[in-house]
Amino acid sequence: MVDLAVVNRAETFERMQSPLAERGVSVHHVQVKERTLALSPETAPFSADQFDAGFVYPGRMMEGGVADALLDVPWVNGRDAVLTSRNKAGVLARLERAGLAVPQSVYVSNPADESAVAEAVESLDPPVVLKPNSTTRGIGVAKVPDLDSALGVTDYLDLVHDFRATGDRSYLVQEFVPDARDYRVMVLDGEYVGAVERQLSDADREAGRWKHNVHRGAEATPVDLDPEYRRLAERVADELDIRFLGVDLLVGPDGVVVNETNARPTIDDAAKYEDGFWDRLAGAVRETADAA
C-alpha cells in the first residue's frame, strides 16, 4: 500500500479516499495551514517516514516550505508546477509564444503609470476584464465597461498594494470574450481525462452575472468535449510540463482561447471523468512514490 499525503481536505480528499484505496493507495489528510506546527522532528504532528508521496504542493508557499521539510516526499504536482500555473501572465505569455490561442492581455506590474494602464484598457476595446495575476476561484476578477470604471478599480488596487507586505502586486488587463462557453478540461500525464462545462443559471445570466466559477455559483456538468479542444488542453499541459492540470477554455464567437490553468485542481465527481481515470491517477501516485 502506498501512503499519499493530501494537504487540501475539502472535496478532493473526500472523493479520492475510496477509489484510490481500492487501487492500493491510502490517502491521508495532512493539515498544514490555519494551525500551529511544531518544527522539531520529535514534536512535529507528522514525519517523513509516514508517507511515500504527496498529491499537490500546498497553495501557500510558506506553508508549503514547512510541509516539504517535514514530509520530505515527492509530489505528483510539486512546487514548480504550482508556481508556474499560478502566474497567469507567465502562462499566457508562454502559451502564446508556443502558438496557442489565448485572450489578448496586458500585464501590469503595479504601481504603473496611469496613462500606461489607460492605454492598455483602450487598446483592448472595453469592456475589459481586470484580473489579479495569482488568485484562484475568480477572486478579485472584475469586468469593467469603460476607461473611467477601469481606472476606478485600479485606484483601489493602488491603495491595497500600497501596503508593503502585499506579495504579488500585479494584475492583468484582458479582453472580454462575450457569450463564451466555459470548459474546465483535465489532463493527466499528457492525456485528456475528462471535462466539464461551467454554466450559470438563466436567472443569474439575466441578472447580469458572467463569471463561471463553480465557487461563485456556476454548475459544472460533464461534456463530451470536442477532440480539437482535447488536443489543445493536452498541448497546454505539455508546454507547461505539469503532470496533473486543469485547463480553462473559453469558446466564443471567434473561436477557442486558453483562459487559465490550475495545477491544484479540484477533483470532481467520478462521473465527470473518462473510464480509467482512477487507475491512471493511482498509477501516477505510485510512479511518483517510486521516484523518491
Side-chain angles (χ1 to χ4, degrees), residues 10-250:
E11 303 97 335
T12 292
F13 173 79
E14 305 294 342
R15 290 168 179 156
M16 293 174 74
Q17 279 188 298
S18 178
L20 287 186
E22 296 170 1
R23 293 161 174 82
V25 177
S26 181
V27 179
H28 309 269
H29 178 236
V30 177
Q31 183 182 353
V32 298
K33 68 177 183 179
E34 299 174 355
R35 63 169 299 177
T36 60
L37 280 172
L39 300 180
S40 169
E42 290 75 24
T43 54
F46 37 79
S47 64
D49 58 5
Q50 288 180 267
F51 309 105
D52 302 300
F55 183 48
V56 293
Y57 194 87
R60 298 180 182 179
M61 291 299 107
M62 298 301 103
E63 282 90 336
V66 173
D68 220 15
L70 293 177
L71 294 173
D72 192 26
V73 293
W75 302 86
V76 174
N77 274 4
R79 181 177 183 273
D80 288 348
V82 172
L83 285 175
T84 293
S85 178
R86 174 166 293 175
N87 184 348
K88 295 180 175 67
V91 165
L92 293 174
R94 189 166 169 177
L95 296 181
E96 187 157 21
R97 186 186 64 189
L100 301 177
V102 299
Q104 294 184 65
S105 307
V106 177
Y107 173 72
V108 181
S109 176
N110 215 23
D113 188 81
E114 183 176 286
S115 63
V117 175
E119 182 179 347
V121 171
E122 293 182 319
S123 72
L124 296 179
D125 190 19
V128 298
V129 174
L130 297 181
K131 177 186 295 185
N133 189 47
S134 56
T135 60
T136 60
R137 302 184 176 185
I139 295 172
V141 179
K143 181 178 74 172
V144 290
D146 52 53
L147 177 59
D148 284 343
S149 300
L151 294 178
V153 173
T154 60
D155 284 344
Y156 281 107
L157 289 174
D158 289 343
L159 292 173
V160 173
H161 291 166
D162 192 49
F163 181 51
R164 291 184 179 275
T166 301
D168 181 13
R169 305 183 184 197
S170 60
Y171 60 93
L172 291 166
V173 180
Q174 194 170 74
E175 70 168 315
F176 175 65
V177 181
D179 303 319
R181 303 189 74 165
D182 185 312
Y183 298 104
R184 162 59 63 87
V185 189
M186 304 300 294
V187 180
L188 176 60
D189 283 335
E191 294 187 19
Y192 168 84
V193 291
V196 295
E197 181 174 1
R198 300 181 291 196
Q199 296 175 304
L200 293 168
S201 67
D202 291 341
D204 283 338
R205 287 196 299 272
E206 289 171 3
R209 296 190 61 188
W210 60 278
K211 294 183 188 180
H212 295 96
N213 302 82
V214 172
H215 293 93
R216 294 298 175 93
E219 182 178 355
T221 55
V223 292
D224 183 15
L225 196 67
D226 186 301
E228 175 190 350
Y229 304 158
R230 297 185 185 200
R231 289 191 294 270
L232 174 57
E234 290 171 346
R235 288 185 63 193
V236 171
D238 181 65
E239 176 64 29
L240 299 180
D241 192 24
I242 296 178
R243 185 165 200 174
F244 183 45
L245 186 67
V247 180
D248 294 347
L249 303 180
L250 295 178

